[in-house]
Amino acid sequence: MNAVSIYNLKKNYKKLTALKNVTLTIPKNKLTCIVGPDGAGKSTLLKIIAGVLTFDEGELYINDKKIVKISEMEDFKDKIAFMPQGLGLNLYQNLSIEENIDFFASLHDLDKNKAAKRKETLLKITNLYRFKEREVSKLSGGMKQKLGICCSLIHSPELMILDEPTTGVDPVSRKELYLLIHQFIEEEGITAVISTSYIDEAERGDKIIILNDGQIILDDKNFKDDINVYEISSPDFLEIYNRLNSEEYHFIKLNRDNIRLSPKNNEMVIKDWHQVKPTLDDRILSVIGTRKLDFIISPQKLRDSNIIDIKNISKNFGNFFAVKDVSLEIKKGEIMGLLGPNGAGKTTLIKLILNLYTPTSGYIKIDVPESELKNSIGYMSQKFSLYSDLTVRENLLFYGSTRGVSLSRLKARVEELIDLGNLKMYKDEIVENLPLGIRQRLALMTSIMHNPEIIFLDEPTAGVNIAERDTFWQIIRYLSNNHNITIIVSTHYMDEANYCDRLCLMFEGKISLIGTPDELKRSLEEKAGTPYLIETENPYLLYSELKQKGLKVDLLGNKVKLFTKDRAEALKNYDRIYKTEVTVEDVFVSVTEDEYS
Amino acid sequence: MNTHKMKTIFIKEIKELKRDKISRIMVFLLPVVILLVFGYGMALDVEKIPFSILDEDNTFTSREISYKFINNYRYYTFKGYVKKQSEGIELIDRNRIRMLLVIPNGFEKDLKNGRGSSIQIIEDGVFPYRASISKTYSNIIINKFNIEKLENKNIIELFIDLRIRYWFNEEMRQKNVTASGVLLVVLFISPAIFASLLIVKEKELGSIYNIWTSSISKKEFLLAKQSVAVMISFLNYFILFAMIMVLFKTPFKGSFILFTISSFIYILVSTSLGILISTFVKTQVSAVVATSIICIIPSILYSGYLTPISSMTNEAFIVAHLFPNYYYFNIIKMSFLKGFNLNIFIKNIIILMFFYLFFISISIARFRKYQC
């Protein structure tokens, strides 16, 4: 049974094509994840299903009833719940949690007693009961999203549509959100559709639909198992990488310590490679392809001198410690990732390094001449610092002149950056018309215009598709290895964290973990055990069982991820079980959960 | 219609209004500010003109004519004597006085010798309208003085005595009209802005999706929102009415109940116009700007508030009849100045009702529960 069926759906906004030719089904009583980068058409698709957006061509069936006119959707509106994109934007900020839920309940004309009972259940499940009098404007992002879900579920809908509910929400709350949705699928038999721009979240769905540029590029029914993916992780992987001819491969992805690739010719052999199980990322990349930039990345230099030396630094605003006794050394040329939930102190720490705040105590030493400090730092913000009405070239020229690049050098420098950023084909295009990935690359180029020694990147590739993300990180790797530029990335997206040399996890103003991604994963494995994936008929039930036993578990769609040190015990109990890997997300969630408890 | 759903919207809005200080201030303060600004500012009466006297003659007659001005408290405020012309000019320059009365040396002597004499008045002509009114006042005072003198000498006994009586606004107080007429402007602009914001706010923030994805009908939603705006604006009406009576001391000759009913219907018209505007705009800023511009022009220029409709050019005369404001102004004039007249009341009320139905039905037709 399908809750929704769509055939050859097309949707154009004035100039823009949002959906090209989409055919999909959404199975009842399951969680369907629609994954894609910003601008892929996710919101458009969800709004059409929710009956709040018209479409141009194609067929839409809700509960097997064909929708011809949008007014016919009115019959389904009490059975559908839709939560639009944005943190709690559909909630009423001045009203309390309880009042918001009451509003939704009576908007759907629910019986008062029934609504009150259901409200209590929902509030208790989401752990919001204690805060029910609190105004929405005073809630954290994760709490807002949970409340949004409560409001959507109050009228016991059959179909629940959530548009990017996890954007801007920290990993712990993200995990809780998915558990909550699975719980309702299990207990009430609802159908859920979720969109997200993060591929790692897709695993949490029962069904995955990957959307790119208005088209479905993967639907988990037609997963090609025939792609061969290899990994090269020998010490000289960078040299091998530099020699590869991208024409011969479906994709080549440069990671921090390895390369993953898929050759077009099955007979091809490269020494030291070994075949690996294709991940979802690999499958997507094999469809959309990657672009290898034509510069030679030199091997990593020995990084011995510290460029930034932070000693016992604290910063408080009144009674509130934004940063508390933090010590951190960053080596020259290193790519350092700053991770942490919102409000963990990442931004304050960066502002302290930039000398925008004076520390309350402690000191920061930056190994550049004091007079040169401003000129040796570049900054790329999360929101675009670009002028959207200017062309790529004009933006670069503008930033060059404001950054004091001499006129005689400016032209040559701009050409250099256009080459480095692989922006040649876009150089006379107006920025507004460019895809997000290109704009982010341009923003990076403007931030390194003046040859800084340190650059700060704030969630640089959030919402960018993975092929563009690979291109972006090739440039970062090149800047780090060839030019010895120090890069500090602040993010809470694991996709970005994976590229960093070292990660620094912050929580409530303090550093709770620091190390290379591998070190962090290993330490979690030592502490919690090896992760296994268990396939079962009823994953939610198994998850709850194991959770009650006090084991470390996570629910990933139709599988349960279990951390255990007792390998034999695990293998004995379940037949469909296989070993998997620790992710940075696991580390993050584990640390944050430990800190909370 | 599902009144339960409508009540839900209504209660939610009232709660939000209670919590949000800024919109509360907007809703209740804006009408009062408009009332004060228009009530005092639009009054075109020229009164209490500050002036000085340069009396070079300093005789009985010169003092006599000086006192004619000084004792005219309604139109003139005496700011003292000056000793030199330059001193008086300086006071005009510094905006201390607007008029200087100069009585030359030998004024009384010339009069007694039957030669006739002249006095000089220096006016601040920056605002020609004000200066010319002031000139008219001085003319009247001097004429009266002349006639008295002639009568005393028995030179003239018979002359035409023109006696004008101003009906409906006996004292010719412009404020009676401008103050009561402010209702015309305030009860048009602020309910319209409020009503359009109530809807555009949800559009801009994204909570409109709650409405779109629920089964509440367009009519229920819009009427519920309108009822909030009507209720608050109706409350404002009472506040404004009281302020007009107390601050501006305007007379009121009609029936308060019938005037209140007409005002209620006028509020229905303005809120429905606001809702209509909200179906065109997406952001709160554009809603405020669009609503203000759309509301100010008809309520000030085409209502008869500034210029009587009957003295407008043909085109403007027709245009004025196409806006609801003219009809409410008829009721205002009737209630405050002329006294109750059933015919005028019924005729204008029916026309206003028609405007309401017209605006609200287009709004319901235009409002969409989806995006395109």
Side-chain angles (χ1 to χ4, degrees):
Chain A
M1 259 302 251
N2 290 323
V4 181
S5 312
I6 287 173
Y7 302 100
N8 306 318
L9 192 74
K10 283 181 190 141
K11 171 73 188 172
N12 293 306
Y13 296 109
K14 274 167 200 152
K15 280 182 260 168
L16 209 87
T17 305
L19 293 177
K20 279 176 189 157
N21 195 351
V22 168
T23 298
L24 63 87
T25 55
I26 290 168
K28 269 201 172 146
N29 201 358
K30 292 270 191 283
L31 169 61
T32 303
C33 279
I34 296 179
V35 191
D38 285 359
K42 302 185 298 282
S43 293
T44 305
L45 182 58
L46 293 189
K47 282 180 192 167
I48 289 173
I49 297 173
V52 293
L53 181 66
T54 56
F55 54 93
D56 301 332
E57 277 174 53
E59 291 170 25
L60 167 67
Y61 294 85
I62 306 274
N63 279 348
D64 296 326
K65 183 183 179 297
K66 187 170 179 183
I67 305 293
V68 183
K69 272 194 303 191
I70 193 158
S71 54
E72 291 170 15
M73 284 299 295
E74 291 296 308
D75 300 340
F76 293 103
K77 287 206 167 153
D78 278 329
K79 295 175 186 160
I80 297 179
F82 176 68
M83 191 167 107
Q85 196 176 347
L87 271 182
L89 286 187
N90 67 326
L91 303 172
Y92 300 96
Q93 305 293 321
N94 292 322
L95 302 188
S96 70
I97 288 184
E98 202 172 12
E99 286 167 330
N100 264 285
I101 299 181
D102 289 343
F103 172 75
F104 281 83
S106 37
L107 190 60
H108 287 286
D109 219 354
L110 297 189
D111 175 70
K112 261 202 173 141
N113 294 326
K114 257 191 201 162
K117 248 186 216 154
R118 186 157 174 85
K119 178 174 70 180
E120 200 179 309
T121 321
L122 287 170
L123 285 175
K124 281 186 174 150
I125 292 174
T126 48
N127 284 326
L128 289 174
Y129 196 77
R130 285 184 291 150
F131 310 106
K132 65 179 181 181
E133 321 250 293
R134 198 179 283 186
E135 279 182 25
V136 172
S137 56
K138 289 173 188 145
L139 300 179
S140 72
M143 282 161 94
K144 279 183 187 166
Q145 296 301 60
K146 279 193 221 161
L147 174 59
I149 290 178
C150 289
C151 291
S152 316
L153 285 172
I154 186 77
H155 63 290
S156 311
E158 292 170 16
L159 173 64
M160 166 185 201
I161 303 164
L162 307 175
D163 195 0
E164 298 207 17
T166 56
T167 302
V169 175
D170 63 277
V172 178
S173 308
R174 239 188 284 173
K175 186 182 153 186
E176 285 175 1
L177 274 175
Y178 277 98
L179 279 175
L180 201 65
I181 292 159
H182 277 293
Q183 188 175 349
F184 279 100
I185 292 174
E186 187 59 35
E187 287 170 4
E188 297 186 352
I190 63 165
T191 306
V193 189
I194 283 192
S195 73
T196 173
S197 57
Y198 296 94
I199 293 164
D200 51 351
E201 278 184 25
E203 287 180 82
R204 297 183 183 272
D206 298 307
K207 174 172 176 150
I208 305 165
I209 292 167
I210 311 272
L211 211 56
N212 193 52
D213 208 12
Q215 278 170 310
I216 292 181
I217 57 167
L218 275 179
D219 195 322
D220 53 346
K221 271 175 293 174
N222 55 30
F223 264 3
K224 287 186 283 179
D225 246 348
D226 52 342
I227 62 163
N228 295 312
V229 181
Y230 297 90
E231 195 178 275
I232 304 171
S233 45
S234 55
D236 61 343
F237 75 97
L238 266 179
E239 283 158 52
I240 299 172
Y241 180 77
N242 286 330
R243 285 200 304 272
L244 293 175
N245 177 1
S246 54
E247 297 287 301
E248 294 169 4
Y249 302 88
H250 290 299
F251 71 88
I252 309 170
K253 184 167 185 265
L254 176 67
N255 288 332
R256 199 189 88 87
D257 331 274
N258 58 42
I259 322 166
R260 279 173 98 93
L261 41 73
S262 169
K264 283 179 182 164
N265 180 352
N266 282 338
E267 260 92 81
M268 187 178 226
V269 173
I270 296 180
K271 104 181 151 67
D272 284 344
W273 75 1
H274 56 277
Q275 190 158 10
V276 287
K277 200 173 180 314
T279 63
L280 190 56
D281 283 26
D282 298 328
R283 291 179 203 281
I284 296 168
L285 282 175
S286 72
V287 179
I288 61 177
T290 53
R291 188 188 305 104
K292 186 169 162 278
L293 299 179
D294 52 0
F295 42 64
I296 303 289
I297 300 178
S298 47
Q300 208 169 79
K301 291 192 182 78
L302 190 65
R303 288 168 180 162
D304 45 4
S305 63
N306 289 344
I307 187 156
I308 300 177
D309 211 341
I310 301 174
K311 280 261 154 63
N312 305 94
I313 200 158
S314 293
K315 174 73 189 171
N316 49 349
F317 300 101
N319 291 328
F320 170 70
F321 276 88
V323 167
K324 206 171 182 178
D325 197 26
V326 164
S327 296
L328 179 66
E329 289 166 3
I330 299 174
K331 300 211 154 51
K332 199 167 163 54
E334 190 174 36
I335 305 177
M336 172 61 108
L338 277 181
L339 268 72
N342 293 332
K346 291 172 301 193
T347 311
T348 313
L349 184 61
I350 289 177
K351 285 189 172 170
L352 283 166
I353 300 174
L354 288 172
N355 206 10
L356 294 174
Y357 286 151
T358 17
T360 312
S361 65
Y363 74 90
I364 295 178
K365 199 170 147 274
I366 300 178
D367 193 20
V368 286
E370 190 133 344
S371 58
E372 284 292 296
L373 188 63
K374 277 246 162 76
N375 285 329
S376 37
I377 290 173
Y379 181 77
M380 177 184 155
S381 69
Q382 185 182 3
K383 300 217 178 77
F384 319 114
S385 43
L386 301 172
Y387 293 90
S388 51
D389 292 336
L390 299 183
T391 65
V392 168
R393 242 181 95 82
E394 286 164 345
N395 263 291
L396 287 167
L397 284 169
F398 172 78
Y399 273 95
S401 355
T402 59
R403 275 304 196 167
V405 177
S406 69
L407 279 179
S408 51
R409 283 243 325 111
L410 185 58
K411 249 188 153 168
R413 179 69 184 149
V414 167
E415 291 309 318
E416 240 172 79
L417 291 173
I418 287 176
D419 278 343
L420 175 63
N422 199 24
L423 295 167
K424 213 165 218 154
M425 53 190 291
Y426 305 107
K427 68 177 178 189
D428 293 318
E429 295 251 7
I430 302 282
V431 165
E432 199 179 359
N433 306 330
L434 294 174
L436 183 64
I438 314 292
R439 279 188 291 191
Q440 291 298 70
R441 245 190 283 154
L442 174 60
L444 175 65
M445 291 305 120
T446 60
S447 72
I448 59 170
M449 174 62 76
H450 53 295
N451 283 315
E453 296 205 37
I454 306 167
I455 40 180
F456 288 92
L457 310 175
D458 190 4
E459 290 183 5
T461 60
V464 174
N465 81 36
I466 55 170
E468 284 297 345
R469 181 176 300 143
D470 178 72
T471 316
F472 187 91
W473 281 93
Q474 284 177 45
I475 301 171
I476 296 287
R477 183 59 54 191
Y478 170 81
L479 292 173
S480 157
N481 286 14
N482 296 39
H483 293 278
N484 224 5
I485 294 177
T486 310
I487 290 138
I488 300 173
V489 184
S490 123
T491 183
H492 51 249
Y493 293 111
M494 301 311 138
D495 283 319
E496 289 174 336
N498 274 319
Y499 289 97
C500 298
D501 292 331
R502 270 202 306 160
L503 292 175
C504 168
L505 259 65
M506 290 190 72
F507 189 81
E508 290 187 348
K510 285 184 283 193
I511 293 180
S512 33
L513 264 185
I514 188 160
T516 66
D518 276 345
E519 281 168 16
L520 298 185
K521 288 177 195 170
R522 234 179 294 132
S523 75
L524 179 67
E525 210 166 328
E526 276 161 27
K527 210 175 85 188
T530 320
Y532 291 92
L533 277 182
I534 308 168
E535 277 182 44
T536 154
E537 293 303 312
N538 196 335
Y540 185 77
L541 202 71
L542 179 65
Y543 169 83
S544 323
E545 258 175 45
L546 295 172
K547 182 91 192 166
Q548 284 200 334
K549 283 186 195 162
L551 292 168
K552 197 169 181 63
V553 274
D554 197 358
L555 184 62
L556 299 177
N558 46 10
K559 301 183 194 86
V560 174
K561 190 171 188 175
L562 168 72
F563 288 84
T564 178
K565 287 177 183 166
D566 192 350
R567 182 160 177 269
E569 172 78 13
L571 290 175
K572 194 177 72 193
N573 283 344
Y574 310 97
D575 3 311
R576 278 179 294 168
I577 182 166
Y578 49 90
K579 196 171 166 258
T580 182
E581 273 162 31
V582 182
T583 62
V584 177
E585 170 126 8
D586 291 330
V587 176
F588 191 111
V589 169
S590 161
V591 168
T592 321
E593 275 176 346
D594 289 351
E595 296 276 357
Y596 275 125
S597 60
Chain B
M1 275 209 290
N2 186 324
T3 48
H4 183 241
K5 288 180 186 174
M6 292 174 70
K7 210 175 104 193
T8 306
I9 304 267
F10 185 86
I11 292 171
K12 191 265 294 178
E13 290 303 334
I14 300 295
K15 273 185 186 164
E16 279 194 298
L17 195 64
K18 264 198 217 156
R19 307 274 162 81
D20 186 13
K21 204 174 156 193
I22 294 176
S23 51
R24 219 167 46 223
I25 290 174
M26 260 287 284
V27 166
F28 289 106
L29 204 66
L30 181 74
V32 171
V33 170
I34 301 180
L35 173 71
L36 295 178
V37 169
F38 277 60
Y40 287 110
M42 287 291 259
L44 301 170
D45 296 336
V46 179
E47 290 184 350
K48 299 198 167 28
I49 304 158
F51 78 108
S52 284
I53 298 172
L54 171 63
D55 190 356
E56 291 174 339
D57 196 43
N58 205 8
T59 54
F60 176 77
T61 320
S62 79
R63 278 193 294 276
E64 192 186 349
I65 196 153
S66 293
Y67 279 102
K68 292 279 179 203
F69 281 87
I70 294 169
N71 289 335
N72 195 328
Y73 296 116
R74 178 164 172 191
Y75 296 112
Y76 289 107
T77 305
F78 181 53
K79 292 285 180 186
Y81 287 99
V82 291
K83 294 204 177 70
K84 278 186 299 202
Q85 180 136 351
S86 59
E87 202 182 319
I89 304 278
E90 201 198 317
L91 285 176
I92 292 180
D93 279 348
R94 281 161 48 205
N95 271 336
R96 292 293 160 83
I97 57 168
R98 296 219 191 92
M99 186 189 93
L100 179 67
L101 180 67
V102 185
I103 306 172
N105 206 353
F107 171 73
E108 191 186 53
K109 210 167 85 194
D110 283 352
L111 272 186
K112 282 194 173 151
N113 293 342
R115 268 185 292 173
S117 182
S118 57
I119 58 172
Q120 183 189 31
I121 283 177
I122 299 172
E123 283 280 354
D124 178 356
V126 170
F127 291 100
Y129 171 78
R130 201 168 59 195
S132 75
I133 299 278
S134 170
K135 182 197 113 189
T136 315
Y137 295 157
S138 336
N139 266 342
I140 292 168
I141 292 173
I142 302 295
N143 277 343
K144 233 174 152 185
F145 180 83
N146 283 339
I147 288 164
E148 269 171 32
K149 287 277 170 251
L150 291 172
E151 274 179 329
N152 286 347
K153 291 187 176 175
N154 286 328
I155 294 177
I156 311 175
E157 274 175 347
L158 298 167
F159 53 91
I160 299 172
D161 183 9
L162 174 65
R163 293 187 180 214
I164 301 173
R165 271 201 61 204
Y166 298 103
W167 274 25
F168 306 131
N169 189 357
E170 291 81 357
E171 297 166 80
M172 276 301 277
R173 281 183 68 216
Q174 182 77 24
K175 271 199 178 116
N176 287 355
V177 183
T178 44
S180 58
V182 180
L183 281 177
L184 175 80
V185 184
V186 185
L187 293 183
F188 202 58
I189 296 175
S190 61
I193 291 181
F194 185 41
S196 68
L197 280 182
L198 277 179
I199 292 177
V200 176
K201 183 182 69 186
E202 300 225 28
K203 273 198 198 176
E204 190 176 356
L205 297 178
S207 49
I208 194 75
Y209 282 106
N210 304 337
I211 306 305
W212 287 358
T213 54
S214 77
S215 54
I216 189 169
S217 72
K218 299 197 284 184
K219 210 199 308 176
E220 288 160 1
F221 175 65
L222 293 182
L223 291 181
K225 285 276 186 179
Q226 195 196 7
S227 60
V228 178
V230 169
M231 193 197 82
I232 301 291
S233 308
F234 198 45
L235 212 67
N236 269 327
Y237 156 75
F238 288 105
I239 299 171
L240 295 171
F241 187 84
M243 282 180 72
I244 289 171
M245 300 309 282
V246 174
L247 288 180
F248 298 99
K249 301 193 174 58
T250 52
F252 187 79
K253 296 173 182 166
S255 145
F256 177 66
I257 293 175
L258 291 179
F259 182 63
T260 304
I261 292 173
S262 337
S263 301
F264 183 78
I265 294 169
Y266 186 61
I267 290 170
L268 285 180
V269 175
S270 50
T271 47
S272 60
L273 177 64
I275 287 175
L276 180 59
I277 293 167
S278 78
T279 64
F280 288 91
V281 295
K282 283 187 180 133
T283 61
Q284 298 186 65
V285 174
S286 54
V288 172
V289 172
T291 315
S292 319
I293 292 173
I294 291 171
C295 291
I296 282 177
I297 292 169
S299 61
I300 296 182
L301 295 182
Y302 286 107
S303 58
Y305 182 42
L306 280 190
T307 333
I309 303 272
S310 49
S311 61
M312 286 180 178
T313 60
N314 275 341
E315 297 84 1
F317 182 79
I318 294 167
V319 172
H321 283 78
L322 298 178
F323 293 119
N325 316 73
Y326 166 66
Y327 305 98
Y328 182 58
F329 196 46
N330 284 342
I331 296 175
I332 291 184
K333 284 189 293 191
M334 175 186 88
S335 303
F336 279 87
L337 302 171
K338 290 188 178 167
F340 182 67
N341 177 322
L342 191 68
N343 264 342
I344 296 180
F345 174 74
I346 290 175
K347 195 179 113 200
N348 288 295
I349 282 289
I350 289 175
I351 296 173
L352 284 175
M353 284 298 285
F354 173 75
F355 271 107
Y356 167 57
L357 293 174
F358 179 67
F359 287 148
I360 200 73
S361 18
I362 313 183
S363 305
I364 293 172
R366 273 195 52 86
F367 183 78
R368 280 192 316 231
K369 274 186 75 186
Y370 54 88
Q371 223 178 317
C372 260

